[in-house]
Amino acid sequence: MEEIAGTLTLEREIMDDARKKAARLLSNADAESARIQAESAVKTAAALGAIDEAARLATARYRDEVFARIPLEKLRMKTAHSDALIREALGRWLASLPESRIESFVAKRLEGAKAFLADGSVEIRYRGIGASCAERLAGQIGAAGEVVIREDNTLLATGIIVSGKGAELDATLDVAADLILREKRGELIRAFAPRLAQS
């Protein structure tokens, strides 16, 4: 009986020891789990904070870029609008010119190109001017070869185009408009769109 009681006591002590070790292991595991959860929460909060900060910075940068473009876009639109107004007004003015003024412009353009056109045959295509005007202009070239003069309604603007010896001279009102715009844009803005010139 004493042996049984000793065995039972020993068994109880072993079981108590095992319970204590198990309780200690569970306690350590709980503590480790709580530590890992706390670290995870801190790391998650830091990662979310970094993501939020990156998103905030990206949004701020994008907003700054958009707001920086607004004045440029406004200026671009204003410039395009003023250019359209000027071109429209200039086109109306050029369309109202008498044939003598058109002839004068074409003659000035021909003067600079005589050296390229006088040595051979030339073809003159005209639109919006009379045949006699085209013939007078052809006489100014002083071409050594044959001169062919024909009306060409496929030309995009009033004036003439002279072709010869591998060279071509465009002396139309489109060219006149481009030259005037290049040289007198500021004056045209003040004349045709004074409100735009002030702003």
Side-chain angles (χ1 to χ4, degrees), residues 144-162:
E146 180 184 9
V147 177
V148 177
I149 303 171
R150 66 182 176 89
E151 186 171 12
D152 185 353
N153 288 322
T154 63
L155 295 181
L156 298 177
T158 298
I160 69 169
I161 293 182
V162 183

Side-chain angles (χ1 to χ4, degrees), residues 73-92:
E73 189 64 20
K74 183 179 175 184
L75 180 62
R76 186 196 66 76
M77 289 174 64
K78 180 180 170 185
T79 303
H81 178 68
S82 65
D83 187 62
L85 286 176
I86 291 167
R87 285 182 182 276
E88 182 183 333
L90 184 59
R92 284 193 311 265

Side-chain angles (χ1 to χ4, degrees), residues 10-31:
L10 186 59
E11 196 175 298
R12 226 179 291 127
E13 286 176 10
I14 290 173
M15 291 294 279
D16 284 344
D17 233 12
R19 273 190 210 101
K20 287 178 186 174
K21 284 183 181 178
R24 223 180 359 234
L25 283 174
L26 284 173
S27 173
N28 288 344
D30 286 344

Side-chain angles (χ1 to χ4, degrees), residues 112-176:
K114 276 185 183 177
F116 298 104
L117 299 170
D119 287 347
S121 298
V122 295
E123 177 189 25
I124 297 178
R125 296 177 293 138
Y126 67 93
R127 176 181 170 210
I129 58 175
S132 60
C133 178
E135 288 172 9
R136 283 193 303 274
L137 291 167
Q140 290 181 6
I141 296 171
E146 180 184 9
V147 177
V148 177
I149 303 171
R150 66 182 176 89
E151 186 171 12
D152 185 353
N153 288 322
T154 63
L155 295 181
L156 298 177
T158 298
I160 69 169
I161 293 182
V162 183
S163 304
K165 194 183 166 190
E168 185 170 273
L169 173 72
D170 186 343
T172 61
L173 291 185
D174 283 350
V175 173

Side-chain angles (χ1 to χ4, degrees), residues 4 9-10 18 29 35 52 66-67 118 137 149 168 179 190 197:
I4 293 176
T9 305
L10 186 59
R35 186 186 64 74
D52 285 345
V66 168
F67 285 134
L137 291 167
I149 303 171
E168 185 170 273
L179 290 171
R190 286 188 292 280

Side-chain angles (χ1 to χ4, degrees), residues 33-114:
S33 174
R35 186 186 64 74
I36 290 172
Q37 284 179 349
E39 284 180 8
S40 293
V42 169
K43 287 180 182 176
T44 301
L48 288 174
I51 290 170
D52 285 345
E53 180 65 14
R56 187 187 65 74
L57 290 173
T59 302
R61 185 174 55 249
Y62 179 71
R63 183 181 56 242
D64 291 345
E65 287 174 5
V66 168
F67 285 134
R69 269 186 265 162
I70 288 174
L72 294 175
E73 189 64 20
K74 183 179 175 184
L75 180 62
R76 186 196 66 76
M77 289 174 64
K78 180 180 170 185
T79 303
H81 178 68
S82 65
D83 187 62
L85 286 176
I86 291 167
R87 285 182 182 276
E88 182 183 333
L90 184 59
R92 284 193 311 265
W93 179 74
L94 288 171
S96 71
L97 288 177
E99 188 176 274
S100 61
R101 295 283 300 271
I102 296 170
E103 183 177 356
S104 172
F105 163 73
V106 172
K108 285 179 187 173
R109 293 276 295 161
L110 287 174
E111 191 65 38
K114 276 185 183 177

